[in-house]
Amino acid sequence: METSKKVKQQKKKVLLMGKSGAGKSSMRSIIFSNHVARDVRRLGATIDVDKKRVKFLGNLLLDIWDCGGQDAFTESYLTSQKSYVFGDVGVLIYVFDVESSDFTDCAHGNSNRDLQTYESIISALAEHSPNARIFTLIHKMDLVANEYRNDVINSKTAAITARSGRFARTIGTYATSIWDETLYRAWGSIVNSLIPNLDVVEDGLRDLQRVTEAEEVVLFEQNTFLTVTRVGSEVGDENPNRDRYERLSNIIKTFKNSLSSFTESNSSHQFDSFTIKTRIFNLIINRLTYNTYVLVVLPPGEAELQCARLNILSAKDEFARIESVAEGIEDDYRSMRRK
């Protein structure tokens, strides 16, 4: 494949909406601006629309529109700014505050402002961006007692789905909190749905998993440390800890922030690699490309560990090419792999 071909960047407009105080700006700051949960309490309310452009995996640009949720702004979005706000949207992320007194279960016949506003926004989106993806987050779940969480999630998910119109069959709903890994799970799924060449990336990871004989190989985006994708062996697939990727995202993000504090560096690459060796497994986290880190879980043994390091090093150029695959050159790459 000729690497001189110009990569076409994928741009996606992402609307982040919800009632004022629902936690939209806090979660955006944690995921994309390296804040920790205890620091976001100092953030003020968003005024009108706060726009941020985020580069993800080299060729994916996310234009995130954090929309203030005060009533006056929402009315403006739905009237005078309607086509401007809701035009050309790739993804709508709508955040519901789980403790909002304006959210009641419509299944019981109650009307409420939160769902009425959401329904109006869905209607505007269907008019101006009918092919957009919809994700709703039931946020601040840490405020709900454990024994009630499943009932609350099921009830609110049903109410949201009932108001989602043409998007009801494809909507993704997640329960989240800034205090645990659920926030990373939700945002990882959202961003994962936007990656244009994910199957090509997974092919490359399978090759790496095969040559390293790894139990599991996981790819992370370098700045957010959101999980891009993973592949695994039968042994890796039997791991009962289904939320391990999101926990790792949270742990490593905290580790990176700590390194930044100690080194007084704002660089997104505070470490190149680190290794954990135990009696039952080896684990390597290594920078793979400028935009990614790879986690490789191996059986114990020094020889296996050193071979895996060499294979990761050898794979870097390959993944740099994969990362640049986009519209216009993806078919060339597939043809090269078949030869």
Side-chain angles (χ1 to χ4, degrees):
M1 181 181 71
E2 296 179 10
T3 57
S4 60
K5 291 185 179 181
K6 186 176 180 180
V7 176
K8 180 180 178 180
Q9 289 188 322
Q10 306 282 324
K11 295 181 180 179
K12 297 289 185 180
K13 179 178 175 181
V14 179
L15 289 185
L16 182 57
M17 306 189 82
K19 184 179 178 180
S20 180
K24 304 181 296 297
S25 299
S26 296
M27 63 173 65
R28 189 197 73 178
S29 296
I30 290 171
I31 296 295
F32 294 107
S33 299
N34 293 320
H35 285 76
V36 294
R38 65 177 179 271
D39 292 336
V40 298
R41 297 175 180 177
R42 298 175 295 188
L43 297 176
T46 301
I47 304 301
D48 201 5
V49 179
D50 183 9
K51 299 177 185 177
K52 181 179 180 66
R53 174 165 288 183
V54 177
K55 193 173 185 180
F56 195 90
L57 287 182
N59 64 331
L60 178 61
L61 288 178
L62 304 180
D63 285 328
I64 300 176
W65 292 32
D66 184 355
C67 302
Q70 295 89 335
D71 290 343
F73 294 138
T74 301
E75 183 179 354
S76 175
Y77 305 149
L78 293 169
T79 53
S80 60
Q81 297 189 76
K82 192 174 182 180
S83 60
Y84 171 68
V85 172
F86 294 101
D88 300 318
V89 174
V91 172
L92 166 66
I93 303 169
Y94 199 93
V95 183
F96 290 95
D97 183 344
V98 73
E99 285 211 318
S100 173
S101 59
D102 290 327
F103 191 125
T104 53
D105 189 350
C106 68
H108 295 164
N110 298 323
S111 62
N112 62 83
R113 293 177 59 194
D114 284 2
L115 284 175
Q116 289 171 353
T117 301
Y118 170 71
E119 193 170 25
S120 297
I121 286 170
I122 288 296
S123 178
L125 191 71
E127 178 183 351
H128 293 280
S129 297
N131 296 319
R133 294 288 306 274
I134 312 295
F135 295 90
T136 58
L137 307 184
I138 304 170
H139 196 46
K140 303 183 183 179
M141 285 300 299
D142 55 286
L143 301 177
V144 179
N146 287 333
E147 60 266 31
Y148 301 121
R149 286 185 183 179
N150 285 339
D151 288 342
V152 169
I153 292 168
N154 292 336
S155 173
K156 292 188 181 297
T157 298
I160 291 166
T161 302
R163 299 290 187 112
S164 296
R166 61 179 295 166
F167 302 104
R169 291 185 178 181
T170 58
I171 189 173
T173 300
Y174 297 88
T176 58
S177 168
I178 63 172
W179 299 102
D180 60 31
E181 68 279 354
T182 56
L183 188 64
Y184 288 90
R185 181 185 308 138
W187 277 89
S189 298
I190 293 166
V191 174
N192 183 279
S193 72
L194 298 174
I195 298 171
N197 55 320
L198 187 61
D199 55 342
V200 181
V201 174
E202 290 174 343
D203 284 345
L205 288 182
R206 289 188 187 95
D207 287 344
L208 182 60
Q209 186 263 329
R210 176 179 52 81
V211 298
T212 58
E213 299 182 349
E215 295 177 4
E216 196 158 28
V217 179
V218 186
L219 191 68
F220 295 97
E221 197 274 333
Q222 62 88 13
N223 185 44
T224 63
F225 247 89
L226 293 174
T227 303
V228 177
T229 189
R230 54 82 60 186
V231 299
S233 67
E234 291 183 2
V235 174
D237 291 340
E238 291 175 356
N239 191 317
N241 299 303
R242 298 302 177 188
D243 60 352
R244 60 192 180 278
Y245 314 121
E246 294 78 22
R247 290 190 179 191
L248 282 167
S249 293
N250 201 354
I251 291 168
I252 298 170
K253 190 79 172 287
T254 302
F255 173 66
K256 286 180 63 185
N257 289 337
S258 298
L259 285 178
S260 180
S261 299
F262 282 113
T263 61
E264 298 183 351
S265 169
N266 292 322
S267 170
S268 58
H269 293 137
Q270 287 95 9
F271 71 96
D272 188 72
S273 67
F274 70 80
T275 303
I276 297 174
K277 294 190 286 186
T278 76
R279 291 180 297 175
I280 58 175
F281 70 89
N282 288 325
L283 182 148
I284 303 171
I285 297 180
N286 206 100
R287 189 166 68 175
L288 190 61
T289 69
Y290 182 81
N291 298 293
T292 60
Y293 281 87
V294 67
L295 179 147
V296 180
V297 182
L298 304 156
E302 188 64 26
E304 291 83 355
L305 183 64
Q306 297 306 325
C307 286
R309 284 174 171 162
L310 290 174
N311 281 308
I312 293 171
L313 184 63
S314 298
K316 285 190 174 185
D317 287 343
E318 173 81 352
F319 274 90
R321 287 194 294 270
I322 292 175
E323 195 173 88
S324 69
V325 171
E327 290 182 4
I329 62 175
E330 184 168 345
D331 291 340
D332 291 349
Y333 181 80
R334 291 177 185 271
S335 299
M336 180 192 74
R337 290 181 61 84
R338 286 196 292 266
K339 292 179 179 178

